[in-house]
């Protein structure tokens, strides 16, 4: 079962850590530590238990575990001083302290929608659930441009209901879809233009369950 936290998705089956759909490298043991912490969240796992799980039948010092925790924090942008996901419990161990949601695909369920936004030829992949757009570097879609609020708008992807919706997060300059300022949730369709401050985006949607048929064009003789 995959698990999503913030901009990240971790998949123990494929042993991948993804950030907005892009893979982030983690060493095998660092991956094991992160997955162990996520599975036991929000409980604290003692260092001795992590040692036994990651290095069975091998004696290691705490420095080895510290190195793995440091690798994990660099990968997910965490710090000991401002722990958003991995918390140090001094003298005891570590705990996963961030909000995380298990993501499980039921048998026969429709495939996930593939969604992304395009800005000046650059693509931003969107993930299942909430994708915040704004000037804050921590946003799923980071737009460092005039008129964009720190947390400007949100695109919510709900593959189970085949629904992609956009809402404004109380931004200063508002959000436009199809050149009209939105109020509340607005359903998005493939190719819809979105204006965030001074930035013009295009939303692209694709589903493997509904591949458009190729139209035949008859040439005039």
């Amino acid at each position: 079962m995959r698990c999503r936290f913030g901009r990240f998705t971790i998949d123990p089956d494929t042993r991948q850590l993804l950030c907005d759909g892009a893979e982030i490298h983690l060493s095998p043991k660092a991956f094991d530590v992160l997955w162990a912490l996520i599975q036991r969240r929000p409980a604290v796992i003692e260092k001795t238990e992590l040692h036994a799980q990651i290095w069975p039948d091998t004696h290691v010092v705490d420095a080895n575990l510290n190195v793995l925790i440091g690798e994990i924090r660099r990968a997910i942008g965490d710090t000991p001083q401002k722990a958003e996901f991995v918390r140090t419990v001094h003298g005891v161990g570590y705990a996963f302290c961030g909000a995380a949601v298990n993501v499980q695909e039921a048998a026969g369920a429709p495939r996930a929608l593939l969604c992304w936004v395009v800005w000046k030829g650059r693509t931003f992949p969107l993930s299942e659930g909430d994708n915040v757009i704004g000037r804050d570097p921590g946003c799923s879609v980071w737009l460092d441009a005039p008129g964009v609020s720190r947390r400007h708008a949100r695109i919510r992807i709900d593959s189970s209901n085949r629904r992609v919706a956009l809402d404004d997060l109380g931004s200063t300059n508002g959000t436009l879809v199809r050149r009209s300022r939105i109020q509340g949730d607005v359903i998005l369709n493939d190719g819809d233009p979105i204006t965030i401050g001074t930035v013009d985006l295009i939303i692209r949607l694709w589903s493997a369950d509904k591949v458009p048929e190729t139209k035949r064009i008859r040439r005039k003789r």
Side-chain angles (χ1 to χ4, degrees):
M1 180 184 295
R2 294 176 295 140
C3 187
R4 185 178 178 197
F5 58 99
R7 300 167 60 195
F8 303 93
T9 301
I10 186 169
D11 189 333
D13 294 328
T14 62
R15 294 189 64 82
Q16 288 179 302
L17 175 65
L18 307 176
C19 178
D20 294 335
E23 186 171 1
I24 299 176
H25 174 73
L26 272 184
S27 66
K29 291 192 180 301
F31 186 96
D32 291 339
V33 170
L34 177 58
W35 182 240
L37 294 173
I38 289 174
Q39 284 184 299
R40 294 276 293 277
R41 66 187 187 277
V44 178
I45 303 182
E46 295 183 6
K47 292 181 180 180
T48 53
E49 183 177 347
L50 284 171
H51 286 166
Q53 184 172 338
I54 306 303
W55 294 280
D57 304 320
T58 302
H59 176 73
V60 295
V61 296
D62 285 349
N64 296 70
L65 182 57
N66 294 342
V67 169
L68 297 182
I69 293 294
E71 180 184 346
I72 292 169
R73 283 175 168 152
R74 287 190 298 274
I76 62 178
D78 227 8
T79 64
Q81 296 76 22
K82 190 178 180 181
E84 184 178 356
F85 298 115
V86 178
R87 179 170 64 95
T88 300
V89 183
H90 294 288
V92 181
Y94 301 94
F96 190 88
C97 57
V101 178
N102 291 331
V103 181
Q104 184 176 20
E105 292 185 10
R111 297 184 185 181
L113 289 167
L114 296 180
C115 308
W116 62 97
V117 292
V118 182
W119 177 38
K120 293 182 178 180
R122 182 182 176 188
T123 59
F124 296 84
L126 305 177
S127 304
E128 186 76 14
D130 291 349
N131 299 265
V132 177
I133 305 171
R135 205 177 69 253
D136 191 319
C139 290
S140 302
V141 179
W142 177 31
L143 302 178
D144 189 12
V148 179
S149 299
R150 289 182 61 84
R151 291 172 58 87
H152 195 110
R154 172 178 53 199
I155 295 177
R156 177 170 293 170
I157 299 174
D158 181 2
S159 293
S160 61
N161 292 308
R162 322 311 286 166
R163 186 176 187 272
V164 179
L166 172 72
D167 66 315
D168 187 83
L169 297 178
S171 66
T172 302
N173 297 310
T175 302
L176 284 71
V177 175
R178 298 180 288 275
R179 304 192 184 283
S180 297
R181 187 160 181 158
I182 67 172
Q183 300 289 337
D185 289 353
V186 173
I187 302 300
L188 296 176
N189 299 304
D190 181 46
D192 278 345
I194 302 170
T195 302
I196 304 288
T198 60
V199 175
D200 291 324
L201 306 171
I202 297 294
I203 181 77
R204 300 309 310 266
L205 313 177
W206 186 87
S207 172
D209 295 326
K210 189 176 181 180
V211 180
E213 295 181 359
T214 302
K215 294 182 178 180
R216 292 183 178 180
I217 301 176
R218 293 185 178 180
R219 294 184 179 182
K220 294 182 178 180
R221 295 182 178 179

